Amino acid sequence: MLKHLSLIAMAALLALGMGLADQGNNKITLTANKTSPTSGRQMYTSYCAPCHGTDGRGNGPVAPALKVPPTDLTVLSRNNHGKFPDLHIVTVLQNGSELRAHGNQEMPVWGPIFGKMNVSNPQDKLLRISNVSRYLETLQVK
Ligand code: HEC
């Protein structure tokens, strides 16, 4: 059951990454909304909240199906001496989480996914990464 849910999540992300719906066998495709690259909130709600939760605490609907719990995104600043770690976040979104090196594949690498959303404008990807990061900054607890 858990494994199945996890596959659904993966299928959804794959479809998102390829920008088309996957009609394949036993996979259910969740349609990821198109979002504006200027709205961090909209992107967060569509692409991050399923795992990290609307409030960022890591309790999204897909979370129970993951082997590694999604990071609590509200304490990024608290865990970094009170300063929002913007460079780290941009790097994670662009290249993936470092934890992946230890065998975890559950946090998608967003750079290539965002990159495919508007191939004719390379700036679009950077704008998305920057605005998602800024939105995360607004979720920080004091
Ligand atoms: C399929 C579930 C899933 C989705 C969707 C997802 N994440 Fe994650 N995320 C995880 C998991 C699991 C971890 C913890 C393990 C890890 O870091 O690899 C994580 C970790 C993170 C981290 C901490 C990484 C670190 O090394 O400090 C950040 C930041 C993050 N996610 C941001 C995002 C953002 C922003 C989005 C949306 C654009 C997003 N995540 C979408 C599952 C997800």
Side-chain angles (χ1 to χ4, degrees), residues 17-37:
M18 300 179 64
L20 43 85
D22 179 9
Q23 305 293 337
N25 316 335
N26 54 354
K27 291 180 206 147
I28 297 171
T29 302
L30 310 176
T31 311
N33 301 329
K34 264 199 169 170
T35 56
S36 164

Side-chain angles (χ1 to χ4, degrees), residues 13-132:
L13 290 163
L14 199 67
L16 173 65
M18 300 179 64
L20 43 85
D22 179 9
Q23 305 293 337
N25 316 335
N26 54 354
K27 291 180 206 147
I28 297 171
T29 302
L30 310 176
T31 311
N33 301 329
K34 264 199 169 170
T35 56
S36 164
T38 59
S39 174
R41 175 194 290 271
Q42 202 181 63
M43 288 186 281
Y44 181 85
T45 305
S46 299
Y47 309 138
C48 318
C51 292
H52 289 281
T54 308
D55 62 3
R57 293 184 191 275
N59 51 6
V62 172
L66 301 175
K67 284 187 231 103
V68 182
T71 303
D72 179 346
L73 299 179
T74 68
V75 293
L76 297 169
S77 294
R78 182 186 278 175
N79 292 342
N80 188 50
H81 314 289
K83 186 190 175 302
F84 185 70
D86 42 9
L87 268 180
H88 173 72
I89 298 306
V90 166
T91 307
V92 164
L93 293 179
Q94 174 67 51
N95 301 323
S97 164
E98 283 162 31
L99 291 176
R100 287 169 68 85
H102 305 287
N104 172 54
Q105 300 287 324
E106 293 181 322
M107 170 61 188
V109 184
W110 291 97
I113 299 175
F114 288 159
K116 282 183 191 149
M117 291 180 179
N118 184 356
V119 274
S120 61
N121 181 4
Q123 293 302 319
D124 191 86
K125 174 177 89 173
L126 302 177
L127 191 63
R128 285 183 182 277
I129 289 176
S130 159
N131 284 328
V132 168

